[in-house]
PDB file of all heavy atoms in Angstrom:
ATOM      1  N   GLY A   8      -0.826  19.286 -19.634  1.00  0.00           N
ATOM      2  CA  GLY A   8      -0.284  18.678 -20.851  1.00  0.00           C
ATOM      3  C   GLY A   8       1.210  18.577 -20.897  1.00  0.00           C
ATOM      4  O   GLY A   8       1.762  18.394 -21.990  1.00  0.00           O
ATOM      5  N   HIS A   9       1.889  18.670 -19.757  1.00  0.00           N
ATOM      6  CA  HIS A   9       3.360  18.663 -19.736  1.00  0.00           C
ATOM      7  C   HIS A   9       3.865  17.244 -19.463  1.00  0.00           C
ATOM      8  O   HIS A   9       3.481  16.598 -18.484  1.00  0.00           O
ATOM      9  CB  HIS A   9       3.874  19.588 -18.641  1.00  0.00           C
ATOM     10  CG  HIS A   9       3.557  21.045 -18.891  1.00  0.00           C
ATOM     11  ND1 HIS A   9       3.700  22.007 -17.930  1.00  0.00           N
ATOM     12  CD2 HIS A   9       3.083  21.687 -19.973  1.00  0.00           C
ATOM     13  CE1 HIS A   9       3.325  23.155 -18.407  1.00  0.00           C
ATOM     14  NE2 HIS A   9       2.971  22.994 -19.667  1.00  0.00           N
ATOM     15  N   PHE A  10       4.697  16.717 -20.355  1.00  0.00           N
ATOM     16  CA  PHE A  10       5.351  15.428 -20.166  1.00  0.00           C
ATOM     17  C   PHE A  10       4.357  14.323 -19.800  1.00  0.00           C
ATOM     18  O   PHE A  10       4.518  13.652 -18.780  1.00  0.00           O
ATOM     19  CB  PHE A  10       6.449  15.538 -19.083  1.00  0.00           C
ATOM     20  CG  PHE A  10       7.438  16.619 -19.318  1.00  0.00           C
ATOM     21  CD1 PHE A  10       7.334  17.813 -18.621  1.00  0.00           C
ATOM     22  CD2 PHE A  10       8.457  16.505 -20.228  1.00  0.00           C
ATOM     23  CE1 PHE A  10       8.238  18.851 -18.804  1.00  0.00           C
ATOM     24  CE2 PHE A  10       9.336  17.521 -20.454  1.00  0.00           C
ATOM     25  CZ  PHE A  10       9.258  18.684 -19.736  1.00  0.00           C
ATOM     26  N   ILE A  11       3.374  14.114 -20.654  1.00  0.00           N
ATOM     27  CA  ILE A  11       2.308  13.150 -20.322  1.00  0.00           C
ATOM     28  C   ILE A  11       2.838  11.709 -20.263  1.00  0.00           C
ATOM     29  O   ILE A  11       2.430  10.921 -19.400  1.00  0.00           O
ATOM     30  CB  ILE A  11       1.177  13.245 -21.372  1.00  0.00           C
ATOM     31  CG1 ILE A  11       0.494  14.610 -21.207  1.00  0.00           C
ATOM     32  CG2 ILE A  11       0.157  12.147 -21.204  1.00  0.00           C
ATOM     33  CD1 ILE A  11      -0.616  14.865 -22.204  1.00  0.00           C
ATOM     34  N   SER A  12       3.775  11.364 -21.129  1.00  0.00           N
ATOM     35  CA  SER A  12       4.304   9.993 -21.117  1.00  0.00           C
ATOM     36  C   SER A  12       5.062   9.721 -19.802  1.00  0.00           C
ATOM     37  O   SER A  12       4.893   8.662 -19.199  1.00  0.00           O
ATOM     38  CB  SER A  12       5.241   9.794 -22.297  1.00  0.00           C
ATOM     39  OG  SER A  12       6.330  10.743 -22.256  1.00  0.00           O
ATOM     40  N   ILE A  13       5.851  10.670 -19.358  1.00  0.00           N
ATOM     41  CA  ILE A  13       6.583  10.514 -18.106  1.00  0.00           C
ATOM     42  C   ILE A  13       5.612  10.461 -16.931  1.00  0.00           C
ATOM     43  O   ILE A  13       5.792   9.710 -15.937  1.00  0.00           O
ATOM     44  CB  ILE A  13       7.630  11.612 -17.903  1.00  0.00           C
ATOM     45  CG1 ILE A  13       8.669  11.512 -19.029  1.00  0.00           C
ATOM     46  CG2 ILE A  13       8.283  11.559 -16.532  1.00  0.00           C
ATOM     47  CD1 ILE A  13       9.658  12.621 -19.031  1.00  0.00           C
ATOM     48  N   VAL A  14       4.574  11.277 -16.989  1.00  0.00           N
ATOM     49  CA  VAL A  14       3.574  11.271 -15.897  1.00  0.00           C
ATOM     50  C   VAL A  14       2.871   9.953 -15.782  1.00  0.00           C
ATOM     51  O   VAL A  14       2.705   9.426 -14.693  1.00  0.00           O
ATOM     52  CB  VAL A  14       2.552  12.418 -16.147  1.00  0.00           C
ATOM     53  CG1 VAL A  14       1.372  12.290 -15.216  1.00  0.00           C
ATOM     54  CG2 VAL A  14       3.210  13.770 -15.938  1.00  0.00           C
ATOM     55  N   VAL A  15       2.495   9.361 -16.918  1.00  0.00           N
ATOM     56  CA  VAL A  15       1.769   8.087 -16.894  1.00  0.00           C
ATOM     57  C   VAL A  15       2.679   6.963 -16.366  1.00  0.00           C
ATOM     58  O   VAL A  15       2.243   6.114 -15.562  1.00  0.00           O
ATOM     59  CB  VAL A  15       1.267   7.763 -18.304  1.00  0.00           C
ATOM     60  CG1 VAL A  15       0.709   6.351 -18.383  1.00  0.00           C
ATOM     61  CG2 VAL A  15       0.181   8.766 -18.721  1.00  0.00           C
ATOM     62  N   ILE A  16       3.928   6.918 -16.793  1.00  0.00           N
ATOM     63  CA  ILE A  16       4.838   5.874 -16.356  1.00  0.00           C
ATOM     64  C   ILE A  16       5.102   6.009 -14.841  1.00  0.00           C
ATOM     65  O   ILE A  16       5.075   5.014 -14.090  1.00  0.00           O
ATOM     66  CB  ILE A  16       6.154   5.936 -17.150  1.00  0.00           C
ATOM     67  CG1 ILE A  16       5.915   5.589 -18.619  1.00  0.00           C
ATOM     68  CG2 ILE A  16       7.178   4.942 -16.560  1.00  0.00           C
ATOM     69  CD1 ILE A  16       7.053   5.841 -19.531  1.00  0.00           C
ATOM     70  N   SER A  17       5.367   7.225 -14.365  1.00  0.00           N
ATOM     71  CA  SER A  17       5.643   7.418 -12.952  1.00  0.00           C
ATOM     72  C   SER A  17       4.427   7.081 -12.081  1.00  0.00           C
ATOM     73  O   SER A  17       4.538   6.510 -11.007  1.00  0.00           O
ATOM     74  CB  SER A  17       6.105   8.852 -12.691  1.00  0.00           C
ATOM     75  OG  SER A  17       5.067   9.762 -13.058  1.00  0.00           O
ATOM     76  N   MET A  18       3.223   7.447 -12.552  1.00  0.00           N
ATOM     77  CA  MET A  18       2.029   7.133 -11.762  1.00  0.00           C
ATOM     78  C   MET A  18       1.745   5.625 -11.752  1.00  0.00           C
ATOM     79  O   MET A  18       1.170   5.103 -10.796  1.00  0.00           O
ATOM     80  CB  MET A  18       0.796   7.860 -12.389  1.00  0.00           C
ATOM     81  CG  MET A  18       0.791   9.343 -12.056  1.00  0.00           C
ATOM     82  SD  MET A  18      -0.730  10.162 -12.577  1.00  0.00           S
ATOM     83  CE  MET A  18      -1.893   9.523 -11.382  1.00  0.00           C
ATOM     84  N   SER A  19       2.166   4.908 -12.799  1.00  0.00           N
ATOM     85  CA  SER A  19       2.018   3.446 -12.756  1.00  0.00           C
ATOM     86  C   SER A  19       2.909   2.807 -11.684  1.00  0.00           C
ATOM     87  O   SER A  19       2.482   1.894 -10.989  1.00  0.00           O
ATOM     88  CB  SER A  19       2.355   2.850 -14.133  1.00  0.00           C
ATOM     89  OG  SER A  19       3.717   3.057 -14.474  1.00  0.00           O
ATOM     90  N   PHE A  20       4.143   3.327 -11.534  1.00  0.00           N
ATOM     91  CA  PHE A  20       5.043   2.830 -10.487  1.00  0.00           C
ATOM     92  C   PHE A  20       4.421   3.134  -9.111  1.00  0.00           C
ATOM     93  O   PHE A  20       4.367   2.231  -8.265  1.00  0.00           O
ATOM     94  CB  PHE A  20       6.407   3.498 -10.602  1.00  0.00           C
ATOM     95  CG  PHE A  20       7.263   2.986 -11.747  1.00  0.00           C
ATOM     96  CD1 PHE A  20       7.790   3.872 -12.652  1.00  0.00           C
ATOM     97  CD2 PHE A  20       7.506   1.630 -11.893  1.00  0.00           C
ATOM     98  CE1 PHE A  20       8.539   3.421 -13.703  1.00  0.00           C
ATOM     99  CE2 PHE A  20       8.261   1.195 -12.927  1.00  0.00           C
ATOM    100  CZ  PHE A  20       8.781   2.070 -13.843  1.00  0.00           C
ATOM    101  N   VAL A  21       4.006   4.374  -8.913  1.00  0.00           N
ATOM    102  CA  VAL A  21       3.518   4.760  -7.594  1.00  0.00           C
ATOM    103  C   VAL A  21       2.201   4.057  -7.261  1.00  0.00           C
ATOM    104  O   VAL A  21       1.944   3.703  -6.095  1.00  0.00           O
ATOM    105  CB  VAL A  21       3.368   6.280  -7.516  1.00  0.00           C
ATOM    106  CG1 VAL A  21       2.761   6.728  -6.198  1.00  0.00           C
ATOM    107  CG2 VAL A  21       4.752   6.951  -7.694  1.00  0.00           C
ATOM    108  N   SER A  22       1.354   3.845  -8.247  1.00  0.00           N
ATOM    109  CA  SER A  22       0.090   3.182  -7.978  1.00  0.00           C
ATOM    110  C   SER A  22       0.266   1.748  -7.522  1.00  0.00           C
ATOM    111  O   SER A  22      -0.442   1.239  -6.624  1.00  0.00           O
ATOM    112  CB  SER A  22      -0.810   3.219  -9.211  1.00  0.00           C
ATOM    113  OG  SER A  22      -0.173   2.535 -10.283  1.00  0.00           O
ATOM    114  N   ARG A  23       1.243   1.024  -8.096  1.00  0.00           N
ATOM    115  CA  ARG A  23       1.523  -0.341  -7.663  1.00  0.00           C
ATOM    116  C   ARG A  23       2.084  -0.341  -6.250  1.00  0.00           C
ATOM    117  O   ARG A  23       1.715  -1.210  -5.416  1.00  0.00           O
ATOM    118  CB  ARG A  23       2.466  -1.023  -8.643  1.00  0.00           C
ATOM    119  CG  ARG A  23       1.810  -1.359  -9.947  1.00  0.00           C
ATOM    120  CD  ARG A  23       2.679  -2.383 -10.722  1.00  0.00           C
ATOM    121  NE  ARG A  23       3.968  -1.808 -11.116  1.00  0.00           N
ATOM    122  CZ  ARG A  23       4.172  -1.195 -12.254  1.00  0.00           C
ATOM    123  NH1 ARG A  23       3.204  -1.029 -13.086  1.00  0.00           N
ATOM    124  NH2 ARG A  23       5.386  -0.753 -12.548  1.00  0.00           N
ATOM    125  N   ILE A  24       2.949   0.581  -5.922  1.00  0.00           N
ATOM    126  CA  ILE A  24       3.484   0.695  -4.553  1.00  0.00           C
ATOM    127  C   ILE A  24       2.357   1.030  -3.576  1.00  0.00           C
ATOM    128  O   ILE A  24       2.324   0.506  -2.462  1.00  0.00           O
ATOM    129  CB  ILE A  24       4.637   1.711  -4.528  1.00  0.00           C
ATOM    130  CG1 ILE A  24       5.860   1.195  -5.256  1.00  0.00           C
ATOM    131  CG2 ILE A  24       5.017   2.065  -3.065  1.00  0.00           C
ATOM    132  CD1 ILE A  24       6.956   2.203  -5.422  1.00  0.00           C
ATOM    133  N   TRP A  25       1.474   1.919  -3.991  1.00  0.00           N
ATOM    134  CA  TRP A  25       0.346   2.285  -3.143  1.00  0.00           C
ATOM    135  C   TRP A  25      -0.567   1.072  -2.860  1.00  0.00           C
ATOM    136  O   TRP A  25      -0.986   0.846  -1.716  1.00  0.00           O
ATOM    137  CB  TRP A  25      -0.466   3.393  -3.808  1.00  0.00           C
ATOM    138  CG  TRP A  25      -1.646   3.867  -3.030  1.00  0.00           C
ATOM    139  CD1 TRP A  25      -1.687   4.861  -2.128  1.00  0.00           C
ATOM    140  CD2 TRP A  25      -3.008   3.356  -3.118  1.00  0.00           C
ATOM    141  NE1 TRP A  25      -2.982   5.028  -1.620  1.00  0.00           N
ATOM    142  CE2 TRP A  25      -3.784   4.099  -2.239  1.00  0.00           C
ATOM    143  CE3 TRP A  25      -3.627   2.354  -3.896  1.00  0.00           C
ATOM    144  CZ2 TRP A  25      -5.156   3.871  -2.060  1.00  0.00           C
ATOM    145  CZ3 TRP A  25      -4.982   2.129  -3.713  1.00  0.00           C
ATOM    146  CH2 TRP A  25      -5.738   2.883  -2.829  1.00  0.00           C
ATOM    147  N   ALA A  26      -0.842   0.260  -3.881  1.00  0.00           N
ATOM    148  CA  ALA A  26      -1.715  -0.911  -3.710  1.00  0.00           C
ATOM    149  C   ALA A  26      -1.046  -1.945  -2.814  1.00  0.00           C
ATOM    150  O   ALA A  26      -1.708  -2.515  -1.894  1.00  0.00           O
ATOM    151  CB  ALA A  26      -2.054  -1.509  -5.086  1.00  0.00           C
ATOM    152  N   LEU A  27       0.220  -2.180  -2.986  1.00  0.00           N
ATOM    153  CA  LEU A  27       0.943  -3.170  -2.154  1.00  0.00           C
ATOM    154  C   LEU A  27       1.019  -2.674  -0.694  1.00  0.00           C
ATOM    155  O   LEU A  27       0.862  -3.443   0.232  1.00  0.00           O
ATOM    156  CB  LEU A  27       2.329  -3.416  -2.686  1.00  0.00           C
ATOM    157  CG  LEU A  27       2.457  -4.293  -3.922  1.00  0.00           C
ATOM    158  CD1 LEU A  27       3.894  -4.276  -4.464  1.00  0.00           C
ATOM    159  CD2 LEU A  27       2.079  -5.728  -3.593  1.00  0.00           C
ATOM    160  N   SER A  28       1.254  -1.413  -0.524  1.00  0.00           N
ATOM    161  CA  SER A  28       1.331  -0.853   0.833  1.00  0.00           C
ATOM    162  C   SER A  28      -0.013  -0.928   1.555  1.00  0.00           C
ATOM    163  O   SER A  28      -0.084  -1.250   2.746  1.00  0.00           O
ATOM    164  CB  SER A  28       1.817   0.625   0.790  1.00  0.00           C
ATOM    165  OG  SER A  28       3.063   0.730   0.169  1.00  0.00           O
ATOM    166  N   LEU A  29      -1.104  -0.626   0.831  1.00  0.00           N
ATOM    167  CA  LEU A  29      -2.409  -0.699   1.452  1.00  0.00           C
ATOM    168  C   LEU A  29      -2.762  -2.099   1.860  1.00  0.00           C
ATOM    169  O   LEU A  29      -3.287  -2.372   2.932  1.00  0.00           O
ATOM    170  CB  LEU A  29      -3.459  -0.136   0.488  1.00  0.00           C
ATOM    171  CG  LEU A  29      -4.896  -0.074   0.976  1.00  0.00           C
ATOM    172  CD1 LEU A  29      -5.008   0.886   2.134  1.00  0.00           C
ATOM    173  CD2 LEU A  29      -5.842   0.344  -0.156  1.00  0.00           C
ATOM    174  N   HIS A  30      -2.501  -3.054   0.967  1.00  0.00           N
ATOM    175  CA  HIS A  30      -2.778  -4.483   1.271  1.00  0.00           C
ATOM    176  C   HIS A  30      -1.945  -5.003   2.436  1.00  0.00           C
ATOM    177  O   HIS A  30      -2.462  -5.687   3.329  1.00  0.00           O
ATOM    178  CB  HIS A  30      -2.532  -5.317   0.016  1.00  0.00           C
ATOM    179  CG  HIS A  30      -3.073  -6.709   0.106  1.00  0.00           C
ATOM    180  ND1 HIS A  30      -4.416  -6.981   0.197  1.00  0.00           N
ATOM    181  CD2 HIS A  30      -2.433  -7.901   0.138  1.00  0.00           C
ATOM    182  CE1 HIS A  30      -4.608  -8.259   0.261  1.00  0.00           C
ATOM    183  NE2 HIS A  30      -3.433  -8.867   0.253  1.00  0.00           N
ATOM    184  N   THR A  31      -0.672  -4.602   2.472  1.00  0.00           N
ATOM    185  CA  THR A  31       0.176  -5.018   3.598  1.00  0.00           C
ATOM    186  C   THR A  31      -0.242  -4.345   4.885  1.00  0.00           C
ATOM    187  O   THR A  31      -0.177  -5.004   5.941  1.00  0.00           O
ATOM    188  CB  THR A  31       1.644  -4.682   3.274  1.00  0.00           C
ATOM    189  OG1 THR A  31       1.978  -5.130   1.952  1.00  0.00           O
ATOM    190  CG2 THR A  31       2.585  -5.316   4.270  1.00  0.00           C
ATOM    191  N   MET A  32      -0.703  -3.123   4.838  1.00  0.00           N
ATOM    192  CA  MET A  32      -1.116  -2.454   6.043  1.00  0.00           C
ATOM    193  C   MET A  32      -2.368  -3.121   6.624  1.00  0.00           C
ATOM    194  O   MET A  32      -2.448  -3.324   7.840  1.00  0.00           O
ATOM    195  CB  MET A  32      -1.430  -0.976   5.740  1.00  0.00           C
ATOM    196  CG  MET A  32      -1.704  -0.144   6.983  1.00  0.00           C
ATOM    197  SD  MET A  32      -2.107   1.581   6.639  1.00  0.00           S
ATOM    198  CE  MET A  32      -3.733   1.427   5.921  1.00  0.00           C
ATOM    199  N   TYR A  33      -3.310  -3.469   5.771  1.00  0.00           N
ATOM    200  CA  TYR A  33      -4.526  -4.182   6.250  1.00  0.00           C
ATOM    201  C   TYR A  33      -4.146  -5.525   6.831  1.00  0.00           C
ATOM    202  O   TYR A  33      -4.681  -5.973   7.857  1.00  0.00           O
ATOM    203  CB  TYR A  33      -5.539  -4.372   5.123  1.00  0.00           C
ATOM    204  CG  TYR A  33      -6.301  -3.122   4.791  1.00  0.00           C
ATOM    205  CD1 TYR A  33      -6.772  -2.896   3.495  1.00  0.00           C
ATOM    206  CD2 TYR A  33      -6.620  -2.168   5.733  1.00  0.00           C
ATOM    207  CE1 TYR A  33      -7.461  -1.769   3.137  1.00  0.00           C
ATOM    208  CE2 TYR A  33      -7.333  -1.047   5.428  1.00  0.00           C
ATOM    209  CZ  TYR A  33      -7.780  -0.844   4.134  1.00  0.00           C
ATOM    210  OH  TYR A  33      -8.473   0.273   3.776  1.00  0.00           O
ATOM    211  N   PHE A  34      -3.208  -6.192   6.200  1.00  0.00           N
ATOM    212  CA  PHE A  34      -2.755  -7.515   6.678  1.00  0.00           C
ATOM    213  C   PHE A  34      -2.093  -7.436   8.040  1.00  0.00           C
ATOM    214  O   PHE A  34      -2.389  -8.225   8.955  1.00  0.00           O
ATOM    215  CB  PHE A  34      -1.786  -8.091   5.645  1.00  0.00           C
ATOM    216  CG  PHE A  34      -1.118  -9.351   6.072  1.00  0.00           C
ATOM    217  CD1 PHE A  34      -1.766 -10.555   6.054  1.00  0.00           C
ATOM    218  CD2 PHE A  34       0.197  -9.352   6.486  1.00  0.00           C
ATOM    219  CE1 PHE A  34      -1.164 -11.738   6.437  1.00  0.00           C
ATOM    220  CE2 PHE A  34       0.845 -10.521   6.874  1.00  0.00           C
ATOM    221  CZ  PHE A  34       0.136 -11.719   6.852  1.00  0.00           C
ATOM    222  N   LEU A  35      -1.257  -6.410   8.256  1.00  0.00           N
ATOM    223  CA  LEU A  35      -0.555  -6.287   9.527  1.00  0.00           C
ATOM    224  C   LEU A  35      -1.495  -5.759  10.620  1.00  0.00           C
ATOM    225  O   LEU A  35      -1.308  -6.115  11.801  1.00  0.00           O
ATOM    226  CB  LEU A  35       0.641  -5.313   9.343  1.00  0.00           C
ATOM    227  CG  LEU A  35       1.749  -5.805   8.457  1.00  0.00           C
ATOM    228  CD1 LEU A  35       2.874  -4.806   8.386  1.00  0.00           C
ATOM    229  CD2 LEU A  35       2.317  -7.149   8.921  1.00  0.00           C
ATOM    230  N   ILE A  36      -2.443  -4.922  10.277  1.00  0.00           N
ATOM    231  CA  ILE A  36      -3.438  -4.482  11.267  1.00  0.00           C
ATOM    232  C   ILE A  36      -4.250  -5.644  11.804  1.00  0.00           C
ATOM    233  O   ILE A  36      -4.507  -5.786  13.004  1.00  0.00           O
ATOM    234  CB  ILE A  36      -4.369  -3.397  10.654  1.00  0.00           C
ATOM    235  CG1 ILE A  36      -3.598  -2.084  10.545  1.00  0.00           C
ATOM    236  CG2 ILE A  36      -5.614  -3.202  11.518  1.00  0.00           C
ATOM    237  CD1 ILE A  36      -4.347  -1.016   9.807  1.00  0.00           C
ATOM    238  N   LYS A  37      -4.657  -6.554  10.917  1.00  0.00           N
ATOM    239  CA  LYS A  37      -5.379  -7.749  11.335  1.00  0.00           C
ATOM    240  C   LYS A  37      -4.514  -8.666  12.166  1.00  0.00           C
ATOM    241  O   LYS A  37      -4.953  -9.217  13.196  1.00  0.00           O
ATOM    242  CB  LYS A  37      -5.899  -8.498  10.091  1.00  0.00           C
ATOM    243  CG  LYS A  37      -6.782  -9.634  10.388  1.00  0.00           C
ATOM    244  CD  LYS A  37      -7.293 -10.262   9.121  1.00  0.00           C
ATOM    245  CE  LYS A  37      -8.210 -11.472   9.442  1.00  0.00           C
ATOM    246  NZ  LYS A  37      -8.698 -12.114   8.170  1.00  0.00           N
ATOM    247  N   LEU A  38      -3.236  -8.787  11.803  1.00  0.00           N
ATOM    248  CA  LEU A  38      -2.316  -9.616  12.605  1.00  0.00           C
ATOM    249  C   LEU A  38      -2.081  -9.008  13.991  1.00  0.00           C
ATOM    250  O   LEU A  38      -2.039  -9.706  14.998  1.00  0.00           O
ATOM    251  CB  LEU A  38      -0.977  -9.771  11.840  1.00  0.00           C
ATOM    252  CG  LEU A  38       0.122 -10.528  12.556  1.00  0.00           C
ATOM    253  CD1 LEU A  38      -0.299 -11.998  12.803  1.00  0.00           C
ATOM    254  CD2 LEU A  38       1.388 -10.459  11.715  1.00  0.00           C
ATOM    255  N   PHE A  39      -1.965  -7.701  14.049  1.00  0.00           N
ATOM    256  CA  PHE A  39      -1.763  -7.001  15.330  1.00  0.00           C
ATOM    257  C   PHE A  39      -2.973  -7.206  16.267  1.00  0.00           C
ATOM    258  O   PHE A  39      -2.811  -7.423  17.487  1.00  0.00           O
ATOM    259  CB  PHE A  39      -1.538  -5.508  15.106  1.00  0.00           C
ATOM    260  CG  PHE A  39      -1.374  -4.705  16.355  1.00  0.00           C
ATOM    261  CD1 PHE A  39      -0.097  -4.511  16.907  1.00  0.00           C
ATOM    262  CD2 PHE A  39      -2.430  -4.124  16.977  1.00  0.00           C
ATOM    263  CE1 PHE A  39       0.083  -3.795  18.043  1.00  0.00           C
ATOM    264  CE2 PHE A  39      -2.297  -3.351  18.121  1.00  0.00           C
ATOM    265  CZ  PHE A  39      -1.038  -3.202  18.687  1.00  0.00           C
ATOM    266  N   SER A  40      -4.181  -7.156  15.709  1.00  0.00           N
ATOM    267  CA  SER A  40      -5.356  -7.325  16.543  1.00  0.00           C
ATOM    268  C   SER A  40      -5.464  -8.716  17.103  1.00  0.00           C
ATOM    269  O   SER A  40      -5.876  -8.898  18.249  1.00  0.00           O
ATOM    270  CB  SER A  40      -6.607  -6.981  15.740  1.00  0.00           C
ATOM    271  OG  SER A  40      -6.731  -7.870  14.654  1.00  0.00           O
ATOM    272  N   SER A  41      -5.077  -9.727  16.325  1.00  0.00           N
ATOM    273  CA  SER A  41      -5.126 -11.114  16.847  1.00  0.00           C
ATOM    274  C   SER A  41      -4.064 -11.335  17.938  1.00  0.00           C
ATOM    275  O   SER A  41      -4.357 -11.985  18.960  1.00  0.00           O
ATOM    276  CB  SER A  41      -4.894 -12.111  15.704  1.00  0.00           C
ATOM    277  OG  SER A  41      -3.636 -11.907  15.105  1.00  0.00           O
ATOM    278  N   ILE A  42      -2.859 -10.763  17.755  1.00  0.00           N
ATOM    279  CA  ILE A  42      -1.810 -10.905  18.779  1.00  0.00           C
ATOM    280  C   ILE A  42      -2.172 -10.112  20.028  1.00  0.00           C
ATOM    281  O   ILE A  42      -1.966 -10.545  21.155  1.00  0.00           O
ATOM    282  CB  ILE A  42      -0.451 -10.437  18.199  1.00  0.00           C
ATOM    283  CG1 ILE A  42       0.001 -11.392  17.107  1.00  0.00           C
ATOM    284  CG2 ILE A  42       0.622 -10.383  19.298  1.00  0.00           C
ATOM    285  CD1 ILE A  42       1.254 -10.936  16.372  1.00  0.00           C
ATOM    286  N   SER A  43      -2.814  -8.933  19.855  1.00  0.00           N
ATOM    287  CA  SER A  43      -3.180  -8.129  20.989  1.00  0.00           C
ATOM    288  C   SER A  43      -4.284  -8.777  21.801  1.00  0.00           C
ATOM    289  O   SER A  43      -4.292  -8.704  23.024  1.00  0.00           O
ATOM    290  CB  SER A  43      -3.644  -6.743  20.482  1.00  0.00           C
ATOM    291  OG  SER A  43      -4.077  -5.904  21.544  1.00  0.00           O
ATOM    292  N   SER A  44      -5.237  -9.437  21.136  1.00  0.00           N
ATOM    293  CA  SER A  44      -6.294 -10.127  21.872  1.00  0.00           C
ATOM    294  C   SER A  44      -5.730 -11.283  22.719  1.00  0.00           C
ATOM    295  O   SER A  44      -6.196 -11.510  23.838  1.00  0.00           O
ATOM    296  CB  SER A  44      -7.326 -10.666  20.914  1.00  0.00           C
ATOM    297  OG  SER A  44      -6.756 -11.617  19.996  1.00  0.00           O
ATOM    298  N   ILE A  45      -4.702 -11.969  22.236  1.00  0.00           N
ATOM    299  CA  ILE A  45      -4.078 -13.031  23.023  1.00  0.00           C
ATOM    300  C   ILE A  45      -3.257 -12.448  24.169  1.00  0.00           C
ATOM    301  O   ILE A  45      -3.231 -12.964  25.284  1.00  0.00           O
ATOM    302  CB  ILE A  45      -3.213 -13.918  22.136  1.00  0.00           C
ATOM    303  CG1 ILE A  45      -4.067 -14.685  21.087  1.00  0.00           C
ATOM    304  CG2 ILE A  45      -2.383 -14.912  22.913  1.00  0.00           C
ATOM    305  CD1 ILE A  45      -4.994 -15.712  21.668  1.00  0.00           C
ATOM    306  N   SER A  46      -2.554 -11.355  23.877  1.00  0.00           N
ATOM    307  CA  SER A  46      -1.673 -10.763  24.876  1.00  0.00           C
ATOM    308  C   SER A  46      -2.455 -10.147  26.058  1.00  0.00           C
ATOM    309  O   SER A  46      -1.989 -10.185  27.188  1.00  0.00           O
ATOM    310  CB  SER A  46      -0.810  -9.709  24.212  1.00  0.00           C
ATOM    311  OG  SER A  46       0.049  -9.069  25.172  1.00  0.00           O
ATOM    312  N   HIS A  47      -3.646  -9.600  25.779  1.00  0.00           N
ATOM    313  CA  HIS A  47      -4.390  -8.927  26.828  1.00  0.00           C
ATOM    314  C   HIS A  47      -5.371  -9.854  27.567  1.00  0.00           C
ATOM    315  O   HIS A  47      -6.050  -9.409  28.496  1.00  0.00           O
ATOM    316  CB  HIS A  47      -5.204  -7.751  26.242  1.00  0.00           C
ATOM    317  CG  HIS A  47      -4.329  -6.577  25.863  1.00  0.00           C
ATOM    318  ND1 HIS A  47      -3.706  -6.486  24.634  1.00  0.00           N
ATOM    319  CD2 HIS A  47      -3.978  -5.449  26.561  1.00  0.00           C
ATOM    320  CE1 HIS A  47      -3.021  -5.352  24.596  1.00  0.00           C
ATOM    321  NE2 HIS A  47      -3.146  -4.718  25.736  1.00  0.00           N
TER     322      HIS A  47
END
């Protein structure tokens, strides 16, 4: 129960960064596999 307002705001920032990072990671992994299949 400590600083609930600050906790909620900070978790909203981090959750959006987490979602963007996860989506970008999946996107780049798929791009890497397509480039690797052509390269090999």
Side-chain angles (χ1 to χ4, degrees):
H9 296 168
F10 307 101
I11 293 178
S12 59
I13 295 174
V14 168
V15 171
I16 294 170
S17 62
M18 285 187 71
S19 65
F20 286 126
V21 176
S22 62
R23 287 196 295 269
I24 291 172
W25 181 89
L27 284 171
S28 301
L29 183 64
H30 192 64
T31 310
M32 188 182 72
Y33 284 150
F34 173 76
L35 295 180
I36 285 173
K37 187 178 179 181
L38 178 62
F39 179 89
S40 62
S41 62
I42 293 173
S43 179
S44 61
I45 294 293
S46 178
H47 288 86

